[in-house]
Amino acid sequence: MRYLILSLIILLGLSSHAISGTRDPSVSDSKYIEYGQKHECVVRVSGKVKIKDSEETATFFGSGVIVRPRVLITAAHVVQNTETAYAVIGDEKIKIIGFACPNADQEKEVGPHDIAVCWLEKEVELDFYPELYDKSDEMGKICSLAGWGMKGTWNTGIIDSDGKKRAGSNFVDKELFKGMLVCSVDKEPYTSLEYLIGNGDSGGGLFIDKKLAGIHSCIFTDDGKLDSSKRDWSAHTRVSFHRAWIEEFIKIMEE
């Protein structure tokens, strides 16, 4: 693999220090916001998480993808060790009442099992629920990426937060990181809404042909600055690898 990995961070937003995607500085931010609105199934996830080696908790936020009326898929590290967690749809908070992860030790190391299937307290009605990507041909394909958090450009890195959902596009790299899908903005060709995710986007969706193909997990860098700038890359849990397990869990929960 060509990446010299000096730093790596899980994309969970704690308190106000969350980072979201950075955009092409030559493209208006309003276009990313408009595209984000089209990803109705990508919702905000928030709650309280236990602070390691402490009795205290901290407020966190991330993202998740509604794939069935009561089923949300997010990153495992978003919901593990939480006191409470909610899917936030508009002004409504819907409690996550249970979840399952394929690997209980995922939180100890970023890797290909950073995914969780969650059961919601009540149904979320959407016009469209994405199917799960079922092929192993993701590399080189164009994708869309959506999530919540702070804003910035590749040149500035993240700057501040306005609490708006943004989405952009990219190509899935032809190389993998620990079996995960990878995107970057360090080389051409660029898409019309070239985009890179960052902290606060944890659990959001990477979509190929309108199907959920990846779950946002982490960013890594070779310049020591994890700010979603041009020398950073993003890694996404591969949904096709977990599809059979996800569908079996959903079947059990819906019975």
PDB file of all heavy atoms in Angstrom, residues 7 11 62 95 126 128 165 185 204 211:
ATOM      1  N   SER A   7      -0.499   9.242  11.227  1.00  0.00           N
ATOM      2  CA  SER A   7      -1.544   9.574  12.188  1.00  0.00           C
ATOM      3  C   SER A   7      -2.862   9.021  11.695  1.00  0.00           C
ATOM      4  O   SER A   7      -3.086   8.894  10.501  1.00  0.00           O
ATOM      5  CB  SER A   7      -1.676  11.097  12.351  1.00  0.00           C
ATOM      6  OG  SER A   7      -0.454  11.660  12.765  1.00  0.00           O
ATOM      7  N   LEU A  11     -13.621   8.994  13.626  1.00  0.00           N
ATOM      8  CA  LEU A  11     -14.359  10.204  13.274  1.00  0.00           C
ATOM      9  C   LEU A  11     -15.530  10.537  14.176  1.00  0.00           C
ATOM     10  O   LEU A  11     -16.564  10.978  13.730  1.00  0.00           O
ATOM     11  CB  LEU A  11     -14.903  10.057  11.844  1.00  0.00           C
ATOM     12  CG  LEU A  11     -13.870   9.687  10.789  1.00  0.00           C
ATOM     13  CD1 LEU A  11     -14.539   9.599   9.438  1.00  0.00           C
ATOM     14  CD2 LEU A  11     -12.773  10.712  10.754  1.00  0.00           C
ATOM     15  N   GLY A  62     -22.489  12.021  15.792  1.00  0.00           N
ATOM     16  CA  GLY A  62     -21.969  11.379  14.593  1.00  0.00           C
ATOM     17  C   GLY A  62     -23.088  11.334  13.573  1.00  0.00           C
ATOM     18  O   GLY A  62     -23.964  12.195  13.560  1.00  0.00           O
ATOM     19  N   LYS A  95     -34.825   7.239  20.205  1.00  0.00           N
ATOM     20  CA  LYS A  95     -33.839   6.493  20.967  1.00  0.00           C
ATOM     21  C   LYS A  95     -33.404   5.217  20.260  1.00  0.00           C
ATOM     22  O   LYS A  95     -34.215   4.500  19.677  1.00  0.00           O
ATOM     23  CB  LYS A  95     -34.395   6.144  22.345  1.00  0.00           C
ATOM     24  CG  LYS A  95     -33.357   5.584  23.311  1.00  0.00           C
ATOM     25  CD  LYS A  95     -33.939   5.407  24.702  1.00  0.00           C
ATOM     26  CE  LYS A  95     -32.883   4.931  25.683  1.00  0.00           C
ATOM     27  NZ  LYS A  95     -33.422   4.790  27.058  1.00  0.00           N
ATOM     28  N   LEU A 126     -39.482   7.478   5.583  1.00  0.00           N
ATOM     29  CA  LEU A 126     -38.732   8.146   4.520  1.00  0.00           C
ATOM     30  C   LEU A 126     -39.329   7.773   3.169  1.00  0.00           C
ATOM     31  O   LEU A 126     -39.983   6.736   3.031  1.00  0.00           O
ATOM     32  CB  LEU A 126     -37.253   7.730   4.558  1.00  0.00           C
ATOM     33  CG  LEU A 126     -36.453   7.996   5.836  1.00  0.00           C
ATOM     34  CD1 LEU A 126     -35.040   7.450   5.672  1.00  0.00           C
ATOM     35  CD2 LEU A 126     -36.415   9.484   6.161  1.00  0.00           C
ATOM     36  N   PHE A 128     -37.380   7.040   0.729  1.00  0.00           N
ATOM     37  CA  PHE A 128     -36.442   6.095   0.110  1.00  0.00           C
ATOM     38  C   PHE A 128     -35.531   5.511   1.176  1.00  0.00           C
ATOM     39  O   PHE A 128     -34.938   6.246   1.968  1.00  0.00           O
ATOM     40  CB  PHE A 128     -35.599   6.824  -0.942  1.00  0.00           C
ATOM     41  CG  PHE A 128     -34.458   6.019  -1.499  1.00  0.00           C
ATOM     42  CD1 PHE A 128     -34.685   5.014  -2.433  1.00  0.00           C
ATOM     43  CD2 PHE A 128     -33.151   6.258  -1.086  1.00  0.00           C
ATOM     44  CE1 PHE A 128     -33.634   4.267  -2.945  1.00  0.00           C
ATOM     45  CE2 PHE A 128     -32.089   5.521  -1.599  1.00  0.00           C
ATOM     46  CZ  PHE A 128     -32.345   4.517  -2.531  1.00  0.00           C
ATOM     47  N   LYS A 165     -26.118  19.347   7.263  1.00  0.00           N
ATOM     48  CA  LYS A 165     -25.647  18.149   6.572  1.00  0.00           C
ATOM     49  C   LYS A 165     -25.080  18.539   5.211  1.00  0.00           C
ATOM     50  O   LYS A 165     -25.641  19.362   4.498  1.00  0.00           O
ATOM     51  CB  LYS A 165     -26.797  17.150   6.405  1.00  0.00           C
ATOM     52  CG  LYS A 165     -26.430  15.899   5.643  1.00  0.00           C
ATOM     53  CD  LYS A 165     -27.519  14.827   5.754  1.00  0.00           C
ATOM     54  CE  LYS A 165     -28.863  15.308   5.321  1.00  0.00           C
ATOM     55  NZ  LYS A 165     -29.901  14.257   5.424  1.00  0.00           N
ATOM     56  N   VAL A 185      -8.426  13.188  -1.902  1.00  0.00           N
ATOM     57  CA  VAL A 185      -8.542  14.341  -2.797  1.00  0.00           C
ATOM     58  C   VAL A 185      -7.157  14.805  -3.236  1.00  0.00           C
ATOM     59  O   VAL A 185      -6.962  15.952  -3.617  1.00  0.00           O
ATOM     60  CB  VAL A 185      -9.312  15.508  -2.131  1.00  0.00           C
ATOM     61  CG1 VAL A 185     -10.762  15.118  -1.906  1.00  0.00           C
ATOM     62  CG2 VAL A 185      -8.660  15.931  -0.813  1.00  0.00           C
ATOM     63  N   GLY A 204     -21.809   7.929   8.872  1.00  0.00           N
ATOM     64  CA  GLY A 204     -22.504   8.375   7.675  1.00  0.00           C
ATOM     65  C   GLY A 204     -22.285   7.413   6.515  1.00  0.00           C
ATOM     66  O   GLY A 204     -21.540   6.443   6.634  1.00  0.00           O
ATOM     67  N   LYS A 211     -26.958   2.813  -3.616  1.00  0.00           N
ATOM     68  CA  LYS A 211     -26.931   1.742  -2.626  1.00  0.00           C
ATOM     69  C   LYS A 211     -25.877   2.060  -1.572  1.00  0.00           C
ATOM     70  O   LYS A 211     -24.836   2.646  -1.879  1.00  0.00           O
ATOM     71  CB  LYS A 211     -26.624   0.397  -3.283  1.00  0.00           C
ATOM     72  CG  LYS A 211     -27.710  -0.079  -4.249  1.00  0.00           C
ATOM     73  CD  LYS A 211     -27.372  -1.450  -4.821  1.00  0.00           C
ATOM     74  CE  LYS A 211     -28.467  -1.944  -5.751  1.00  0.00           C
ATOM     75  NZ  LYS A 211     -28.163  -3.290  -6.302  1.00  0.00           N
TER      76      LYS A 211
END
